[in-house]
Amino acid sequence: MTGSGTAAGAGPAPEPRRAALAAFGWAVVFTAMHVYWFAGGRFGLGDAPDVVPEATSTGDRIQGAVIVGMFAVGIVLPLALTRPWGRRIPRRAALFCLWTGAALVAVRGGAGLLDTALRSTGLAPHGLTGLTYEQITGDAHPSAYTIWSGVCVDAYFMLGGVLYGLTALRLGRRARPGRPVTAD
């Protein structure tokens, strides 16, 4: 038996399995929170009046549709890497999607954290975006709850980047010839 509970040679290779399952769990929670917010939920967004932008243009709706597609890939791909049917996905395509997802969510989270840090410390009152808190949240002086909610959301994005990146690293490592497959 390997560290993941499968016999050597049976089932999916164990090395990327744990990272893929963690990325899958992250994506499920990430998607569930977005569905909740889309349905009008407010938990995790703070108490500022304008933290959820409305899709008012065709471009906004197209962007939303692309993001929904990315959510679907973000959930299905890590799960596929833990299942026998996932072996049908070309490794290069899987690695491309994993690295792209890792980069997108890590950059989004990191930029958000840096933006908040610059604005909160006064080093750059308009942050990276050039926008004030009032332009972003609808409140010139957002509550600590609103600011910390944003920090938590940004940190969760960063966590997703780490998990997808770790999954890609382990899948890529397993793909190189001459490397043994080992458990996490």
Side-chain angles (χ1 to χ4, degrees):
M1 294 293 260
T2 62
S4 67
T6 60
E15 187 168 314
R17 184 178 177 90
R18 288 183 191 167
L21 285 172
F24 169 71
W26 177 90
V28 167
V29 171
F30 182 78
T31 301
M33 289 305 296
H34 280 78
V35 168
Y36 166 76
W37 292 328
F38 180 76
R42 300 277 306 161
F43 176 76
L45 295 178
D47 54 11
D50 293 331
V51 291
V52 180
E54 292 186 33
T56 56
S57 70
T58 302
D60 291 343
R61 289 182 187 93
I62 291 170
Q63 179 184 4
V66 168
I67 290 171
V68 167
M70 292 167 69
F71 282 3
V73 171
I75 289 174
V76 172
L77 181 59
L79 179 63
L81 296 175
T82 69
R83 302 288 181 246
W85 53 267
R87 290 187 197 135
R88 290 185 230 143
I89 299 171
R91 187 175 310 276
R92 286 185 187 190
L95 286 169
F96 174 79
C97 289
L98 289 167
W99 281 121
T100 300
L104 287 173
V105 297
V107 167
R108 160 55 180 88
L113 291 170
L114 181 58
D115 189 55
T116 300
L118 290 171
R119 209 178 266 111
S120 296
T121 60
L123 292 173
H126 297 274
L128 291 176
T129 61
L131 302 173
T132 64
Y133 274 131
E134 186 168 17
Q135 291 169 307
I136 294 169
T137 66
D139 188 347
H141 304 286
S143 68
Y145 171 55
T146 297
I147 292 170
W148 281 105
S149 292
V151 167
C152 289
V153 168
D154 292 337
Y156 196 73
F157 269 91
M158 287 293 298
L159 175 62
V162 168
L163 293 174
Y164 279 93
L166 186 59
T167 302
L169 279 173
R170 291 185 175 180
L171 181 66
R173 184 181 310 141
R174 187 185 82 191
R176 291 189 206 128
R179 283 205 171 248
V181 175
T182 59
D184 278 339

